[in-house]
Amino acid sequence: MDDEYAKLIRRMNPPRVVIENNTCKDATVIQVDSVNKHGILLEVVQVLTDLNLLITKAYISSDGGWFMDVFNVVDRDGNKIRDEGVINYIQKTLENDSFFLSPLRGSVGVMPSEEHTSIELAGTDRPGLLSEVCAVLADLHCNVVNAEIWTHNSRAAAVVHVTDASTGCAIEDPNRLSKIKVLLRNVLKGNNDLKTAKMTLSPPGVMHRERRLHQMMFDDRDYERNERAEHGRVVDKSLRPNVSVMNCIERDYTVITMRSKDRPKLLFDTLCTLTDMQYVVFHGVVHTGRTEAFQEYYIRHVDGLPISSEAEQERVMQCLEAAIERRASEGLELELCTEDRVGLLSDITRVFRENSLSIKRAEISTKSGKAEDTFYVTDVTGSAVDTKTIDAIRQEIGQSALRVKRNSWPLSNPPQETATSFLFSNLFKARTFQNF
């Protein structure tokens, strides 16, 4: 009954999306007005980030039953969105009733779809873990067609899509799927850690891969600092995100402010965590500078109450720090582009392992028979990789196939920009394109 009532309200008040390029000189402005519901802000941001658009500014207001947000966006090259196809897609998607995404499931496991078998893995990180996983999959005649791997605070999570090496289709044999689960679970338990992989069946087609990775890491409590793993490493705490939580008693909100290094999908990552922790953003401002990003949100729990305890405030800060850090491009960025073949990923990760490289994050994809993979690597101690090691690896894999794309190791602290509280002074002002 509640669902039917929500559909009626939405039909009576259809969403309105305005996209224009004339108001702001250096960004496309997107205004979204819609009936409010829990998670809608994340869903809108997800649509934009899935198109590889960068959100440079955002003004969020969803108090009461209405959702009214403005986003300044640019493409990856920093230009306005001029492609009419992209503009029409955004407008039609956000104004379509079916744009509301399916709820996420909280399960981890192996399950075939029509095109591939989806494997979700979570466990304790260690040097060579991805290599061992890929070797097992290769031995089982599974071809990895795409995958994403995150590591953070000594925890690892991955969503891997595989096909049968002989047919190129999803693996459907229950006995074979069971064998894959058993062998991969053994790999994840290989270090005898008390925290072991959780693997259960999950239905296909209901998860956004990056949202799922956030959930998996959160469920694995990666937000808890592992002092033992950091022992011996030089950790510059000034490079960590700066997150503060305080209560605004006059307005009955909890105010969260975040300052961190700017990067793509940062807003999406923080909203994933707030949404999955059952918090609602009622007002907010996002602003990106040359090197830093500032986010400020006025939130309440879904029960309508602000955060009431210091313990929960501390937990929210830890979880948001983790959300920001999980996708941080730590280490040396290597890009692989070559003809795809069965066992390729196993061979590449074996070479990395034999040369004492640790994979901190990876994005694996296959397009038109080409493998297009990105790896973020450090040495096994978490330090910068020696140039001679990279030269040797490129010599073995192929100079043209593997190239160094970017070194994200900071040479010095980024310039500090002045952070001001955007919302305390502007929260309840009228908002238009002109004053945004």
Side-chain angles (χ1 to χ4, degrees):
M1 183 67 70
D2 290 342
D3 187 50
E4 291 302 317
Y5 179 72
K7 290 179 181 178
L8 174 62
I9 295 298
R10 186 171 170 81
R11 284 196 297 268
M12 294 174 60
N13 301 277
R16 185 172 68 96
V17 179
V18 178
I19 305 174
E20 59 91 37
N21 278 310
N22 298 321
T23 299
C24 180
K25 66 177 182 179
D26 53 9
T28 298
V29 179
I30 301 175
Q31 180 170 343
V32 182
D33 295 335
S34 174
V35 173
N36 193 23
K37 82 176 185 77
H38 180 54
I40 186 174
L41 174 60
L42 174 58
E43 292 172 1
V44 171
V45 170
Q46 182 173 303
V47 169
L48 300 179
T49 55
D50 282 351
L51 291 169
N52 288 321
L53 301 181
L54 306 179
I55 299 173
T56 59
K57 288 183 181 180
Y59 196 108
I60 300 157
S61 180
S62 58
D63 220 345
W66 203 252
F67 170 86
M68 298 175 288
D69 290 6
V70 178
F71 303 92
N72 280 19
V73 301
V74 295
D75 62 20
R76 282 297 178 95
D77 297 319
N79 300 318
K80 291 184 177 184
I81 314 306
R82 302 289 188 185
D83 188 324
E84 287 298 325
V86 173
I87 292 174
N88 290 336
Y89 173 83
I90 294 171
Q91 189 133 21
K92 289 180 180 178
T93 300
L94 297 184
E95 290 182 346
N96 195 319
D97 283 341
S98 63
F99 129 77
F100 289 97
L101 308 177
S102 301
L104 293 173
R105 308 295 178 89
S107 53
V108 183
V110 180
M111 191 69 186
S113 70
E114 293 182 359
E115 298 179 350
H116 57 253
T117 300
S118 179
I119 301 174
E120 296 182 352
L121 306 168
T124 302
D125 187 31
R126 65 177 186 274
L129 176 60
L130 180 58
S131 176
E132 294 176 38
V133 168
C134 293
V136 168
L137 292 174
D139 288 343
L140 294 171
H141 307 290
C142 300
N143 185 38
V144 178
V145 291
N146 60 71
E148 190 154 355
I149 300 96
W150 291 0
T151 66
H152 180 248
N153 278 351
S154 78
R155 310 306 298 165
V159 176
V160 185
H161 294 164
V162 301
T163 59
D164 185 289
S166 58
T167 66
C169 300
I171 301 168
E172 299 180 343
D173 180 7
N175 293 329
R176 192 174 174 192
L177 290 174
S178 179
K179 185 177 181 180
I180 291 171
K181 289 176 63 177
V182 169
L183 293 179
L184 289 179
R185 188 184 294 117
N186 289 338
V187 170
L188 293 170
K189 291 180 179 180
N191 53 6
N192 295 318
D193 195 295
L194 293 178
K195 290 184 176 180
T196 55
K198 298 167 289 183
M199 303 189 72
T200 58
L201 291 180
S202 57
V206 299
M207 73 187 80
H208 182 274
R209 189 169 69 187
E210 293 164 358
R211 284 189 71 176
R212 189 71 191 108
L213 283 165
H214 275 298
Q215 284 191 328
M216 293 164 65
M217 295 293 259
F218 177 79
D219 290 343
D220 214 17
R221 303 177 71 90
D222 75 309
Y223 50 85
E224 296 177 346
R225 290 283 172 191
N226 189 326
E227 301 299 335
R228 185 176 63 179
E230 292 184 355
H231 180 69
R233 288 185 57 191
V234 178
V235 180
D236 188 348
K237 294 185 179 181
S238 68
L239 298 177
R240 285 179 175 167
N242 186 322
V243 182
S244 66
V245 179
M246 59 181 289
N247 280 330
C248 178
I249 299 174
E250 315 87 71
R251 301 293 181 181
D252 207 27
Y253 293 116
T254 294
V255 185
I256 295 177
T257 59
M258 288 171 277
R259 187 182 70 192
S260 64
K261 183 180 178 181
D262 189 29
R263 60 167 175 79
K265 300 189 178 183
L266 178 62
L267 176 58
F268 171 82
D269 292 340
T270 54
L271 291 177
C272 271
T273 293
L274 286 173
T275 302
D276 290 337
M277 293 183 76
Q278 300 297 302
Y279 286 104
V280 179
V281 176
F282 287 87
H283 301 280
V285 164
V286 176
H287 173 73
T288 61
R290 273 192 310 144
T291 58
E292 286 188 314
F294 301 96
Q295 302 176 69
E296 185 170 74
Y297 302 122
Y298 281 58
I299 69 166
R300 294 186 189 125
H301 195 264
V302 289
D303 61 10
L305 300 175
I307 298 175
S308 58
S309 70
E310 291 185 6
E312 180 63 9
Q313 286 186 356
E314 180 65 25
R315 181 171 175 267
V316 169
M317 286 192 287
Q318 289 179 338
C319 292
L320 288 172
E321 287 175 2
I324 294 169
E325 292 175 342
R326 285 172 194 144
R327 209 201 294 259
S329 302
E330 179 183 352
L332 189 69
E333 183 178 353
L334 301 177
E335 186 176 72
L336 176 74
C337 185
T338 187
E339 292 294 327
D340 189 35
R341 58 176 173 80
V342 177
L344 173 66
L345 188 59
S346 176
D347 292 341
I348 296 298
T349 53
R350 174 184 54 79
V351 172
F352 287 174
R353 174 172 52 84
E354 291 173 348
N355 285 272
S356 300
L357 293 192
S358 179
I359 299 173
K360 296 300 182 182
R361 190 162 64 89
E363 299 171 9
I364 312 300
S365 62
T366 306
K367 298 177 183 177
S368 303
K370 285 272 190 181
E372 298 179 2
D373 305 340
T374 301
F375 303 92
Y376 299 87
V377 299
T378 66
D379 68 11
V380 290
T381 67
S383 303
V385 181
D386 183 78
T387 304
K388 293 181 180 178
T389 301
I390 295 299
D391 291 341
I393 292 173
R394 294 189 67 205
Q395 188 69 33
E396 185 171 355
I397 293 176
Q399 298 280 352
S400 60
L402 184 70
R403 67 186 184 94
V404 178
K405 190 173 181 182
R406 186 170 59 91
N407 191 346
S408 66
W409 287 101
L411 299 177
S412 60
N413 289 342
Q416 296 293 310
E417 299 185 25
T418 303
T420 58
S421 179
F422 297 100
L423 286 183
F424 279 120
S425 58
N426 296 312
L427 178 58
F428 299 103
K429 285 185 178 179
R431 173 174 51 80
T432 64
F433 278 147
Q434 284 69 31
N435 64 28
F436 182 74

